[in-house]
Amino acid sequence: MNPSPAAPGATTHAVPAGTDAAPARTDALAATPWSAGRILAGPAGRPRVLFGRMYEDPAVELAVFPPTGARVLCIASAGDTAAALAAAGYEVTALDLNPVQLAYARTRLHDGAPALTGTAERLAGLGRGAAAALLPTWRPAAVTDFLCLDDPAEQHRRWTDGFDGPGLRLLAGAALRPAGALAAALRPGFRCALPRGFDTVLLRRISRTVARHPNAGNDWAWRLLLGRERPGAAAVPAADRRRVRLVLGEVVEHLERSAAGAYDAVTLSNVVDGPGPDFARRLRAAVEHAVRPGGVAVLRSLREPGPAGPGLAAEDRSAIWGVVRVVRTGPNGGTLA
């Protein structure tokens, strides 16, 4: 997350200790929505921790990446994906444009610090609180009971019959439609990043996930639906500093400046959500440059699938993605999933 460069006139911040810095460039990409380090509308201010946890399932990467020991790039965000890749034996570069988010990732990756509540978690908590106050099915005890299930067929029946009812759909519509509360709270650049009809889209994605993956072992379902960690969930391991390099910078510029074939694989989430087609074309060229021929790129998007389909979105247990595309780089590359 945080794919874009700093906005013109944005306040500069000290580089977190233990990170590599890259000079920011001012061009058309500076208008992309991640540049301010804030996702809520209002007066400009210093960047904030946007994501206390990450909402992407690294099992996708672990299934499609080259063998361990490979050189991989990910977005730093809250550090979860970098930690999982490092624990599996990859040499990880974790990049983020937001210096506050990068500093937070460093405390988790290098110091083993606990997760904080970011802006995304506060917004989700408001939605859960409204549902719990108005709908008996969504009170914490009932949701906990649902999340303890380990039979996807029963989970889907319970979701359809008890949770995904008219009351939830009214609340979701009020919050997530284009004229809803979330759109009003977001900075303008983020409003177009959400797919049209995101209220029904998100509920459909949750239904898909509970029908496929056991709740009892799904850390992301516990975070999304209850705002708590799954009992018995493993803590994010502190990563060996030699295995995770933290870099302050913008992802396209970093890839363009990297040596050809510098990476064996990259994983990028939300990077194309918000910026326009020029950014997407430049990103594709940068990935082809920086990832060796035959390497792998995993791209996640909140958008609804196009003609190429959703890829591995159904395999990602976090339930929020519309597309999880896996591509192989180089002249003989192409879409793998």
Side-chain angles (χ1 to χ4, degrees), residues 252-300:
V252 171
E253 293 179 1
H254 175 82
L255 291 169
E256 289 173 338
R257 288 194 307 268
S258 298
Y263 293 107
D264 299 299
V266 298
T267 176
L268 307 173
S269 296
N270 275 141
V271 170
V272 295
D273 290 334
D278 289 344
F279 181 93
R281 284 189 290 269
R282 187 175 164 192
L283 175 66
R284 284 195 294 271
V287 168
E288 286 289 338
H289 162 75
V291 179
R292 64 168 175 82
V296 172
V298 176
L299 304 172
R300 287 179 176 82

Side-chain angles (χ1 to χ4, degrees), residues 190-281:
F190 288 104
R191 296 170 192 166
C192 64
L194 298 178
R196 184 175 296 276
F198 189 52
D199 53 328
T200 57
V201 165
L202 180 60
L203 296 180
R204 185 169 66 247
R205 292 175 188 176
I206 295 171
S207 178
R208 174 189 69 191
T209 301
V210 301
R212 189 178 186 93
H213 303 286
N215 287 343
N218 187 343
D219 295 346
W220 296 271
W222 284 76
R223 293 171 196 155
L224 179 64
L225 301 181
L226 195 61
R228 300 177 188 171
E229 292 299 302
R230 177 177 62 86
V236 172
D240 187 331
R241 292 171 187 258
R242 295 168 296 180
R243 284 204 177 275
V244 179
R245 179 173 70 112
L246 295 168
V247 176
L248 180 67
E250 187 274 322
V251 64
V252 171
E253 293 179 1
H254 175 82
L255 291 169
E256 289 173 338
R257 288 194 307 268
S258 298
Y263 293 107
D264 299 299
V266 298
T267 176
L268 307 173
S269 296
N270 275 141
V271 170
V272 295
D273 290 334
D278 289 344
F279 181 93
R281 284 189 290 269

Side-chain angles (χ1 to χ4, degrees), residues 116-137:
L116 299 178
T117 300
T119 303
E121 287 79 26
R122 286 193 290 274
L123 289 172
L126 291 173
R128 286 190 300 267
L134 298 173
L135 305 173
T137 306

Side-chain angles (χ1 to χ4, degrees), residues 99-119:
V100 176
Q101 189 77 51
L102 191 68
Y104 168 60
R106 181 184 61 78
T107 66
R108 298 191 71 217
L109 286 164
H110 291 170
D111 303 331
L116 299 178
T117 300
T119 303

